[in-house]
Amino acid sequence: MDVWEAVAITAAGVAAGGMNAVVGSGTLITFPTLLAFGVPPVLANVSNNVGLVPGVLSGAYGYRRELRGQRARLLRFGAASLLGGLGGALLLLTLPAAAFRAIVPVLILTACALVLLQPRLNRWVARRRGETARTDGGLPLWLGVLGTGVYGGYFGAAQGVLLMGMFGAVLHDDLQRLNAAKNVLASLVNGVAAVVFIAVADVDWTIAALIAAGSTAGGLLGARLGRKLPPAALRGVIVTVGVTASAFLVARS
């Protein structure tokens, strides 16, 4: 790895950390960057996951004020995120690499679609807030968080969008508080998956360290400044990178 590649990966980590703190989908920046430098898809996914853990933790720390009073919620849904992240990580390591290469373009494009649909999803959430009674979501929401954790442990792009969509539709609370809870749950998913990967999979520690350094700074910056970024511009960057990555993967297969 030369100096410019290291700089590019670190910069991608900064952007991913900021995106994860605000909206999620940071993997759509770092993962395609690694592929562009010739890193095999599974190794790129594993190393990227490990590297992004400090970033999602720093994003959760940046939203610490909004976490006050959410202990019971975090304990309840945190169990689902841990179980889901563990299951997703084991799926990644169990299924053949060819299966991952085949499904990743579909996952990326699905994540891009979710990012594009987020404004409509937010409007739908706003309408639902006026129509539904206060609830903790019951078993259906818990299972939804579990399923999102499985997806996050396997790949992870846009798991934050999925969580915010579910939370906003069901839980009556300020969206910034829900975003803070989302950051904690994403930290748990990425963290448990990273433990599994470190224990039994190959990790490129140079890549993981560069992404970790960048995403930590990006997570803190995203929590502080991310609300001021134009949402449309941010979505445009995410979707452009995601579609390019999908085309690149299809061309290589």
Side-chain angles (χ1 to χ4, degrees):
M1 181 184 302
D2 61 31
V3 173
W4 293 114
E5 288 179 349
V7 170
I9 292 171
T10 304
V14 173
M19 288 182 181
N20 281 337
V22 180
V23 296
S25 305
T27 291
L28 291 182
I29 297 296
T30 45
F31 184 72
T33 300
L34 298 180
L35 295 180
F37 290 133
V39 182
V42 173
L43 178 62
N45 190 44
V46 167
S47 304
N48 177 64
N49 180 287
V50 173
L52 285 178
V53 170
V56 289
L57 287 172
S58 69
Y61 176 78
Y63 275 90
R64 61 193 179 280
R65 286 191 298 253
E66 288 83 357
L67 289 172
R68 293 171 183 165
Q70 298 200 69
R71 180 178 179 182
R73 175 182 292 165
L74 293 176
L75 288 174
R76 180 168 180 263
F77 293 123
S81 292
L82 285 171
L83 289 173
L86 177 61
L90 293 176
L91 275 178
L92 179 67
L93 297 177
T94 303
L95 295 177
F100 181 76
R101 286 194 297 270
I103 198 173
V104 160
V106 177
L107 293 177
I108 292 177
L109 290 176
T110 301
C112 289
L114 288 169
V115 172
L116 278 176
L117 292 172
Q118 192 176 29
R120 291 188 179 185
L121 185 61
N122 288 344
R123 289 193 293 269
W124 179 76
V125 164
R127 290 195 300 270
R128 288 278 297 173
R129 283 174 169 233
E131 299 170 0
T132 57
R134 181 178 298 273
T135 176
D136 65 358
L139 182 60
L141 183 56
W142 193 91
L143 292 175
V145 174
L146 175 68
T148 303
V150 173
Y151 169 75
Y154 186 80
F155 183 56
Q159 67 167 314
V161 176
L162 291 171
L163 286 171
M164 286 299 289
M166 290 187 296
F167 283 175
V170 176
L171 302 177
H172 277 220
D173 205 341
D174 178 75
L175 284 178
Q176 294 298 340
R177 282 171 50 82
L178 296 179
N179 193 49
K182 175 266 291 180
N183 285 339
V184 172
L185 297 181
S187 300
L188 293 174
V189 171
N190 283 22
V192 70
V195 170
V196 173
F197 295 152
I198 290 170
V200 301
D202 292 328
V203 179
D204 187 316
W205 286 105
T206 300
I207 289 173
L210 292 172
I211 292 177
S215 66
T216 300
L220 293 172
L221 289 171
R224 182 182 293 267
L225 304 174
R227 300 179 187 121
K228 301 178 182 179
L229 293 175
L234 188 59
R235 282 192 294 272
V237 171
I238 293 172
V239 171
T240 299
V241 172
V243 171
T244 302
S246 296
F248 177 75
L249 283 169
V250 171
R252 286 185 58 181
S253 61

